[in-house]
Amino acid sequence: MNSLILAQGLPIDETLSTYSDLAFRTSFAIYVLALVASLIYYAGFRVEKVSPRQLAGAGGPGLTESTSLTDTGDEDRASAGNVRWARIAQLFVTIAFVFSASSLVLRGVATDRFPLGNMYEFILATTVLAVGTGLVFLRKPALQVAWPFVLAPVLLLLFFGGTHLYSEAAPVVPALRSYWLPIHVTIISLGSGILLIPGVVSIMYLLRVWQPQGQEKGWATRLTRPLPAAETLDRLAYRTTVIGFPIYSVGILLGAVWAESAWGRFWGWDPKETASFISWVLYAGYLHARATSGWGPKKAAWINIAGFVVLAFNLFFINIVVSGLHSYAGLN
């Protein structure tokens, strides 16, 4: 306890705090460039049929620098757009990820605490983990068209966090001075960051179902033509949810343990606890529906999107619009 009090009494390193803010602004600017590059690639995407001979010799002379194969079937789709823009977007995303992660680390070192003490830091951590998940799961050329759908909410959250929820580097409020803070909040951030990907991918899946591959028509043709096959999107949404849901569940359970230690009860139906339970039920319902033949992937995708909406509202906005025991949004 004495060491904890001593740690809280240490002065804030203003230099590192300034570097953290600079890294945050730099990452935001580079994410914007990544979004622009990914949109150029998306807008220039055209579909070509690749011959069996080219498929058999993938990587040989049949495939040029402007061709990228997918895994969507016998007549694989290839981008006739300039693949350089996809590579540029991927490079920008990687650089911005490094800067945003550095911003989070520098904030922690500057304050000599775990950098998850307010909503600004929580949003930064969650977006770092979401983009990291995207870098892992969106490596295939067929899935790189998903970056505009991922970067748009990431930039929205970063803008909101960096303007309306920004907090100066400082010690946390007394209620958060616990070893449970890095454990509970880190796991929740990780699960939430991973679950952002299937939420976005389920939206893409419904767009693809609405405009089947190769049958795009009307005003939405240019929007939906670059999308991968519905089966590919459905499989990606399911796999990432299978990974993110258990992590999110563990985060909720550990939060209940922390609540018992801090408030003398495991569960009290605080607004944040209630919304967490609703999102947990929706994600459990999605996994059940996805594994049950009677539901079908389309209905399951709607449940997944509902879970994503409740999760986002709970994690990023309920602290602002609802007063409760978890209301530490802009406090230091």
Side-chain angles (χ1 to χ4, degrees):
M1 178 63 70
N2 291 334
S3 61
L4 178 60
I5 296 174
L6 181 61
Q8 293 299 329
L10 291 176
I12 303 301
D13 191 320
E14 297 294 343
T15 301
L16 291 180
S17 175
T18 301
Y19 286 151
S20 173
D21 293 344
L22 180 61
F24 177 88
R25 291 192 290 269
T26 302
S27 69
F28 184 86
I30 299 176
Y31 275 134
V32 171
L33 295 177
L35 178 61
V36 171
S38 64
L39 286 173
I40 292 174
Y41 175 62
Y42 195 96
F45 194 99
R46 298 193 305 274
V47 176
E48 292 179 344
K49 293 182 179 179
V50 183
S51 68
R53 180 174 298 179
Q54 287 175 317
L55 289 175
L63 297 180
T64 66
E65 185 180 22
S66 64
T67 304
S68 60
L69 290 178
T70 75
D71 57 355
T72 58
D74 295 331
E75 292 182 341
D76 279 17
R77 303 165 72 246
S79 170
N82 194 338
V83 148
R84 285 192 183 92
W85 284 109
R87 294 172 180 169
I88 292 172
Q90 190 82 359
L91 177 62
F92 279 152
V93 170
T94 304
I95 296 174
F97 170 79
V98 172
F99 271 101
S100 58
S102 299
S103 175
L104 191 66
V105 172
L106 288 171
R107 170 63 75 108
V109 176
T111 56
D112 196 36
R113 60 171 174 79
F114 214 75
L116 288 171
N118 50 61
M119 282 299 294
Y120 166 74
E121 296 169 359
F122 179 75
I123 285 179
L124 178 58
T126 303
T127 52
V128 166
L129 294 169
V131 173
T133 303
L135 288 172
V136 172
F137 287 97
L138 303 180
R139 298 190 311 274
K140 292 184 178 180
L143 298 175
Q144 289 180 2
V145 295
W147 276 117
F149 295 88
V150 174
L151 291 175
V154 165
L155 282 169
L156 180 63
L157 288 170
L158 288 176
F159 177 80
F160 187 69
T163 54
H164 297 282
L165 296 178
Y166 175 78
S167 298
E168 296 287 346
V172 295
V173 296
L176 298 181
R177 295 175 187 176
S178 169
Y179 61 87
W180 282 110
L181 175 66
I183 299 174
H184 165 62
V185 183
T186 299
I187 295 176
I188 285 290
S189 296
L190 178 59
S192 303
I194 295 174
L195 289 173
L196 184 145
I197 300 299
V200 170
V201 171
S202 288
I203 296 173
M204 296 170 63
Y205 168 80
L206 291 177
L207 289 173
R208 171 49 76 201
V209 171
W210 172 48
Q211 296 273 334
Q213 191 178 77
Q215 304 176 36
E216 299 89 352
K217 57 184 178 180
W219 63 269
T221 298
R222 296 192 66 178
L223 173 65
T224 57
R225 181 173 290 165
L227 296 176
E231 294 78 9
T232 300
L233 294 170
D234 175 54
R235 186 166 58 249
L236 176 61
Y238 178 70
R239 287 177 177 176
T240 47
T241 304
V242 165
I243 296 173
F245 177 70
I247 297 174
Y248 183 66
S249 300
V250 171
I252 292 176
L253 291 174
L254 293 179
V257 176
W258 187 8
E260 196 279 332
S261 175
W263 302 320
R265 48 70 169 175
F266 288 100
W267 198 268
W269 297 105
D270 177 82
K272 200 168 188 69
E273 295 170 348
T274 302
S276 297
F277 177 73
I278 294 173
S279 62
W280 186 90
V281 170
L282 287 170
Y283 277 114
Y286 164 73
L287 293 177
H288 174 73
R290 179 59 176 71
T292 304
S293 59
W295 280 84
K298 185 176 181 180
K299 293 180 180 178
W302 280 111
I303 299 175
N304 195 26
I305 292 173
F308 173 64
V309 170
V310 175
L311 177 72
F313 177 78
N314 180 34
L315 295 177
F316 305 122
F317 300 112
I318 202 168
N319 285 10
I320 305 167
V321 301
V322 180
S323 178
L325 293 174
H326 292 79
S327 299
Y328 307 116
L331 300 177
N332 289 312

